[in-house]
Each structure stands twice: as C-alpha cells, then as structure tokens.
Amino acid sequence: MSRVARATINLDALRHNLGVARRSAPDAHIMAVLKANAYGHGLLRVAHTLASDVEGFAVSCTEEALPLREAGLQHRIILLEGFFEAAELPLFSARRLDAVVHQPWQIEALASADLSRPIDCWLKVDTGMGRLGFSPADAGAAAERLATLPAVGEIRWMTHLASADEPDRADTGSQLVRFGELAHASASAANSAATLYWAQAHAQWVRPGIMLYGASPFSHAGLHAPLHPVMQLEARLISVKTLPAGHGVGYGSRFVCPVAMPVGVVSIGYGDGYPRHAPDGTPVRIRGRRVPMIGKVSMDMIAVDLRTVPQACVGDPAILWGVDPPASEIAEACGTISYELFCRLTPRVQRVYRHGGVDGQE
Ligand SMILES: *Cc1c(COP(=O)(O)O)cnc(C)c1O
C-alpha cells in the first residue's frame, strides 16, 4: 500500500451546488469564482464541469485565466484585481480578459494603451469593504473617464460586501444602498453568502465561490444552505497499537494517555495541508464513527484515539473532511474557515475526480 492522502472531488456535487446558485439568483448571470486553483479543487476540471451552465469565470491573475482560454473556454473571464501592470494590457486585449479597475493608475494605463481590441472593464467601488475600489464620491468621475477611452469596451460595476455572511448586521444593506445610487448599468455585488441570502444584491451578475464547493459561507451555524460538499479528504491508518496509561502522543506530548488505549496513526499532516493548529478532539471519521485527533499534528501524520473503534486496523480509510465531518467544522475547531483549508492543500495530496459515481485520476 502506498501512502494515501487523497482529495476526492465529486463533480456531481459541484453541479448540484451550481444549481443551488442558479435557483437562488434565477435572473442573474453567474460568474463562477475559480481563483486559487478553484479553491484547491482543480481549476480546469472545475471549469469544464461548470462551463455549460455559467456565463463567466472569475480568477485573480492571468496565470489563472490563460489556462481557461487555452482549454478552449470562450466565457467572459473576469480578473478580480484587474491588471497588475500596464504591460499586461495587450494580453488582456488579445485573450479577451475583463479587467476590474480599482485604482487611478489603471485608468491612466488604459488611457495610454494602444490596443487592437478594447478591454471590457468592471469599475470597482469601495462601498464599505475597505479593500479595493474607488470611493463612491470618486466612482462617477472614474466611470465617465473610462467611457471616453478607446482602449475600454463595455463598462460594468462591481462592489464587494464585507459582511454578507452575517445576515444580522446592517452593513450589507448600507453597502447596497451606496452601490445602488451609482451603478445603473450592468452590475455585480454578490458573493456566495449574498447569492444565497441577499436577493437585493443579485443585480445582473452573481459571483459565487465557496458555495459551489459545497461549504456554507455563513459563520452562523443556524443558516443552512442545501449544498453538497465537493471535496472529501481521505488518508489511511498506517499504525495501530496500544499505549500504556501515562504515555505521551506526538511532539511535546500534548496528549497523554489517561488509560491504556489503542492509538492510531493516520497518513496526513500539515505537509499535506491538514491544519497544524488542530486541537485534541478534532474529529476524524474511521469505520463510520468520529474519533478524536490527539496530540500535535506532524508534517506527515496525525494520531487518533481509537477507544471507540477498537476493531480499526491498518489500512482503514480515515476521512478528515467531506460530508462528515464537514470542512467548516474542522475549520472552526482550528480557528479558520473552510476556504483556507481547501486552498492550503499541498500538491502531494492526490486529486481524484468522481463523476457519475466513477473515479478518475487527475
Ligand atoms: C473570492 C471572491 C468572491 C467569492 O466569494 P465566496 O465567499 O467564496 O463566494 C466574490 N467576489 C470577489 C471579489 C472575490 O474576491
């Protein structure tokens, strides 16, 4: 048996989740957010799976956009931070990439550009996120200037919501009011949380990311979305033995066996992207039961308390996250969010794609 640290990507679940986005925002175009290797799920496989039912893709740089064009995808591709230097403009023009425009220097770069084909632009307004975008006071003038430039094609409007995942907060409403006062043409404001929860934010284009991958965007556990987890992270038990009472487990003996007990070692660690901060008790599923992770996470291994599954043996699969336990629960235990768990999986985790119940390799 070779080492198993594997992420099985369920493409049927991906399509199911896209259906949820579609039904949540039936009148909007969808730009599926594929940045960071489709949140660690695999850029091209995810793009091809969604291609027939989305109007666009959003990525963060040309390195993520060009493989989509090279794979023959003709969709609108939006670069969420636009171009990082003026020298990229001919590439945007030639490969028909849409640029988010958020800084005055970008407008000046477009003003000086001599392009064979104009670039469609998304004017980003900072309605409260405090990250990218023109202030609402400056956005009108920026839009007027863009409209005069031969290098600029169609102009759309974009903003990003800071707290759409916390529906009790008033910020989202005020951000949408500010945006609505400006954006009359085609516009986009909604991430996953707003796609699911804030119908007033849908506008012409929604930008779902995490929900496509089947993790809830809501920090509030009570808000449930009918999503199916796309990734199952799995490893194997590579050691099972009984340790005596008082024996430490792992670096620094953070866990000490309270009684003589069976301890398993699972073939995954922070070198695979399993979070090193996972505390004792973080659930791992073995033989259909949740068992507690114990001791500090090593680079290649974690230990588990097998007292509730004494029949467990070497070779048994161990599920780190998937349908159960969900990635968001592991993330919460580790003080992070599912987004980070997905993005941090390292290349040595093998990706296997499952479609129609059949597995295929990357
Ligand atoms: C990442 C990102 C999204 C998607 O956010 P989710 O919470 O994953 O749905 C949407 N818009 C912008 C600008 C982003 O950077």
Side-chain angles (χ1 to χ4, degrees), residues 38-314:
Y39 293 40
H41 290 66
L43 175 70
L44 288 178
R45 293 302 296 258
V46 169
H48 282 301
T49 302
L50 300 176
S52 58
D53 293 306
V54 297
E55 288 73 28
F57 296 116
V59 296
S60 65
C61 53
T62 53
E63 289 80 357
E64 295 174 344
L66 294 182
L68 299 175
R69 281 283 178 262
E70 276 147 28
L73 294 164
Q74 300 297 319
H75 300 62
R76 193 173 281 285
I77 300 179
I78 296 95
L79 281 85
L80 293 169
E81 286 121 72
F83 43 95
F84 297 89
E85 51 181 357
E88 288 183 293
L89 286 173
L91 189 60
F92 274 64
S93 165
R95 308 314 299 270
R96 212 167 37 79
L97 306 178
D98 285 22
V100 167
V101 174
H102 58 89
Q103 281 274 290
W105 75 263
Q106 291 177 316
I107 299 183
E108 293 321 307
L110 285 160
S112 335
D114 181 15
L115 304 173
S116 51
R117 174 219 301 247
I119 297 172
D120 290 344
C121 291
W122 296 74
L123 182 68
K124 184 87 179 257
V125 189
D126 184 355
T127 55
M129 174 75 179
R131 199 174 64 178
L132 297 186
F134 292 89
S135 71
D138 294 339
E144 278 169 28
R145 179 91 203 286
L146 277 179
T148 65
L149 304 180
V152 173
E154 295 166 6
I155 300 174
R156 296 184 172 78
W157 293 70
M158 184 182 287
T159 195
H160 196 55
L161 301 171
S163 311
D165 55 326
E166 296 175 73
D168 325 336
R169 291 180 51 168
D171 323 24
T172 303
S174 359
Q175 281 198 262
L176 290 173
V177 167
R178 271 176 230 129
F179 192 50
E181 285 163 0
L182 287 162
H184 299 296
S186 186
S188 175
N191 57 5
S192 294
T195 299
L196 287 165
Y197 195 85
W198 293 92
Q200 349 40 322
H202 288 168
Q204 284 70 40
W205 287 81
V206 293
R207 310 193 299 271
I210 196 74
M211 70 174 291
L212 298 176
Y213 308 104
S216 169
F218 299 113
S219 35
H220 194 295
L223 279 171
H224 181 71
L227 303 170
H228 295 169
V230 172
M231 180 190 292
Q232 172 168 285
L233 182 65
E234 180 190 321
R236 290 277 186 273
L237 269 178
I238 60 167
S239 160
V240 176
K241 63 187 182 186
T242 300
L243 291 179
H247 204 293
V249 174
Y251 288 114
S253 299
R254 183 178 75 185
F255 182 87
V256 176
C257 298
V259 292
M261 57 186 268
V263 172
V265 175
V266 175
S267 59
I268 200 148
Y270 64 80
D272 304 290
Y274 190 82
R276 202 184 77 86
H277 293 105
D280 289 343
T282 304
V284 175
R285 193 156 54 87
I286 293 175
R287 295 208 174 204
R289 288 191 87 109
R290 285 171 164 224
V291 301
M293 209 274 303
I294 50 175
K296 283 187 185 164
V297 172
S298 299
M299 189 183 292
D300 308 318
M301 292 171 271
I302 58 173
V304 288
D305 172 352
L306 292 177
R307 279 179 288 179
T308 56
V309 276
Q311 71 279 28
C313 54
V314 168

